[in-house]
Amino acid sequence: MNERTDQPMKIAIYVSSWPPGRVASGIVTYTSQLVSSLRAFGHEVYILTPDAGEKDPYTIDLGDVQVPFLSRIWHKIQSKLTGRPYDALRHSSKIALAIRKLVAEKGIEVFEIEESFGMGAEVAMMNIVPVSVRLHGPFVLTGGFKDATSAQSINDGRSKYEGLAIKAAHYVTANCNDTLDTIRKHYDLGIESSTIIPTPIVSSPETEIWQVDRCDKNKMFFVGRFDSIKGGDLVLRTFARLAEANPDLTLTFIGPDQGIQTENGTVYFEEFFEQNFPPKLRDRVDYRGQMTHSELMSLRTSHYLTLIAAQYDTMGYMLLEPMSLGCPLVTTAVGGIPEVIEDERNGLLIPSQDLEAMVAACQRLLDDPDLATRLGRQAWADCRELYSPDAVATKTVEGYKAAIRAF
């Protein structure tokens, strides 16, 4: 049973969808893990979301918030003057109106919001409640990796407005030093009121983690969008090379198809495969597309090794989920990943976009089940010790208190 670590606080958190499980989103998963522990510690937590699947006294559906007519007119003028999308301005106003009401009616003491599109700036500038901005994936870090679904009208100026929100915040948190350091340099900020708070995750019981004698030694696993930033193309090229030496090897690929940007336009999964690999290899790739979180988690331990091929990642669930189950990992050493994975201790690290290194690392694990077992078990132990939701919730409350002091 959780013990209360502090006097109860009244907290509001913005998230793009609620309750969890309705959409595939690392931010939603983060929020669900955090909120569960915060509430268990006795804190009163309100959720603000534009996508409420169900309503309760602690979930505020932003779809029900009406922006006054004169404000809508002003947003249209602002949009023309600044180039910022009208929808982004209207959404920010809805958040601000909801927070003003929560402060007045519920007495919330602190508000946490992601950095995305600078949505927190308006609330911070109202100066009625401390605002803690959580850096999940600032556009200055991820915007260089375009996919076919990128809406340029939304992305134009996004870095600028995210910078405004970060500067206006009373406190800033990130899950790794790489993100926070990059933001400091890019926006020329001291961000004195800031700290590193890791991503929370519940580790599986020891009896349920990956076991070499319970998995299929000919199965590789990848979860991520088919796009440039997640490295889906590198995963397929790696598998094609490994398949030559391992005739029974298969790949399970899970994630939406957002396409790879090339000089000739966007190339989607099937076309990419046809252009680069022999037809007979397609039968050995099980492309599942989008799956629910529970479905993909149920598949993880049945596969021998997991690949992470991202060109950038912070310290997200793409990394922590296989660790929480003790799955052997081969991963690119990008972003915040080297702050979590130590080469040959709890995983194998390779340089970004290095096909030869990834092929060699995967083959090494395929040839050495003892190494795979040792790495996976250490990853699980690290995850259980360092990233438990209760430990993260305790650090988050300390961050909220720092935001209140700064406010």
Side-chain angles (χ1 to χ4, degrees):
M1 182 176 178
N2 294 335
E3 296 180 2
R4 186 175 295 169
T5 58
D6 210 328
Q7 290 299 312
M9 298 182 70
K10 293 186 176 183
I11 302 158
I13 301 177
Y14 171 87
V15 67
S16 61
S17 179
W18 199 259
R22 301 177 64 245
V23 299
S25 166
I27 301 177
V28 174
T29 302
Y30 154 82
T31 306
S32 67
Q33 301 263 355
L34 176 64
V35 168
S36 178
S37 284
L38 287 173
R39 286 174 172 167
F41 285 144
H43 301 293
E44 193 173 306
V45 185
Y46 295 87
I47 297 295
L48 279 70
T49 181
D51 180 28
E54 58 187 52
K55 297 185 180 181
D56 61 58
Y58 297 96
T59 301
I60 289 82
D61 187 347
L62 293 173
D64 295 335
V65 177
Q66 298 300 314
V67 179
F69 174 75
L70 289 179
S71 295
R72 297 200 301 272
I73 296 298
W74 172 234
H75 292 156
K76 290 180 179 180
I77 295 172
Q78 279 184 297
S79 181
K80 289 182 179 180
L81 291 175
T82 66
R84 193 176 186 191
Y86 169 75
D87 286 344
L89 290 164
R90 185 170 60 90
H91 191 61
S92 295
S93 280
K94 287 192 171 192
I95 295 171
L97 288 166
I99 287 297
R100 187 181 293 278
K101 185 176 181 180
L102 278 175
V103 170
E105 296 182 359
K106 304 297 183 181
I108 66 162
E109 301 166 77
V110 66
F111 174 48
E112 177 178 324
I113 186 170
E114 61 192 81
E115 84 291 336
S116 301
F117 303 102
M119 294 182 295
E122 188 168 343
V123 176
M125 289 186 287
M126 289 193 308
N127 210 36
I128 62 172
V129 68
V131 174
S132 178
V133 166
R134 174 73 169 178
L135 304 178
H136 286 282
F139 196 67
V140 297
L141 298 175
T142 63
F145 306 97
K146 303 294 185 184
D147 62 62
T149 62
S150 295
Q152 196 58 43
S153 63
I154 294 176
N155 290 333
D156 285 345
R158 178 169 168 179
S159 295
K160 172 185 175 181
Y161 294 110
E162 289 184 353
L164 291 175
I166 293 166
K167 290 178 181 179
H170 301 97
Y171 207 71
V172 176
T173 71
N175 60 12
C176 64
N177 287 292
D178 181 81
T179 297
L180 192 57
D181 291 345
T182 302
I183 291 304
R184 282 187 175 127
K185 292 174 184 176
H186 182 82
Y187 293 114
D188 192 24
L189 298 174
I191 313 185
E192 295 178 0
S193 295
S194 62
T195 194
I196 302 300
I197 299 177
T199 302
I201 191 166
V202 176
S203 293
S204 295
E206 188 172 8
T207 55
E208 298 177 12
I209 66 174
W210 181 92
Q211 300 285 342
V212 70
D213 57 353
R214 295 204 299 245
C215 72
D216 187 330
K217 298 180 181 62
N218 289 305
K219 283 188 174 182
M220 300 168 58
F221 198 67
F222 173 77
V223 178
R225 300 183 303 269
F226 183 70
D227 66 6
S228 296
I229 189 169
K230 297 302 183 184
D233 53 338
L234 177 60
V235 170
L236 293 180
R237 294 185 191 282
T238 298
F239 173 71
R241 289 278 299 276
L242 290 167
E244 297 175 5
N246 303 273
D248 295 322
L249 193 65
T250 63
L251 169 68
T252 301
F253 192 118
I254 296 174
D257 185 2
Q258 295 188 346
I260 301 291
Q261 294 297 307
T262 70
E263 293 180 355
N264 298 318
T266 303
V267 179
Y268 292 96
F269 185 94
E270 294 296 344
E271 183 182 3
F272 182 86
F273 211 99
E274 290 177 4
Q275 291 176 355
N276 293 281
F277 309 109
K280 63 181 181 180
L281 195 62
R282 182 66 183 85
D283 293 338
R284 294 166 65 180
V285 177
D286 183 8
Y287 178 57
R288 303 283 187 99
Q290 189 82 32
M291 294 181 71
T292 66
H293 181 260
S294 59
E295 288 173 335
L296 72 88
M297 289 296 281
S298 70
L299 293 174
R300 285 192 179 278
T301 56
S302 65
H303 291 71
Y304 182 76
L305 68 88
T306 297
L307 293 179
I308 296 174
Q311 293 194 61
Y312 185 80
D313 194 54
T314 55
M315 180 192 165
Y317 289 102
M318 182 173 64
L319 174 66
L320 291 183
E321 284 178 354
M323 289 180 67
S324 73
L325 287 163
C327 300
L329 276 172
V330 174
T331 176
T332 46
V334 297
I337 291 176
E339 298 177 36
V340 178
I341 298 297
E342 182 181 342
D343 190 35
E344 302 202 20
R345 177 182 176 275
N346 55 3
L348 295 181
L349 287 174
I350 67 158
S352 177
Q353 295 296 100
D354 192 329
L355 175 61
E356 297 298 328
M358 179 161 275
V359 170
C362 290
Q363 190 64 59
R364 184 180 175 192
L365 285 187
L366 289 169
D367 293 339
D368 193 344
D370 289 340
L371 175 62
T373 298
R374 178 174 63 79
L375 295 178
R377 190 169 187 83
Q378 186 61 57
W380 170 76
D382 290 346
C383 205
R384 182 180 60 170
E385 177 183 356
L386 301 174
Y387 311 125
S388 74
D390 284 358
V392 172
T394 299
K395 291 183 178 180
T396 299
V397 169
E398 293 172 358
Y400 291 157
K401 291 167 66 178
I404 292 170
R405 289 195 297 269
F407 176 76

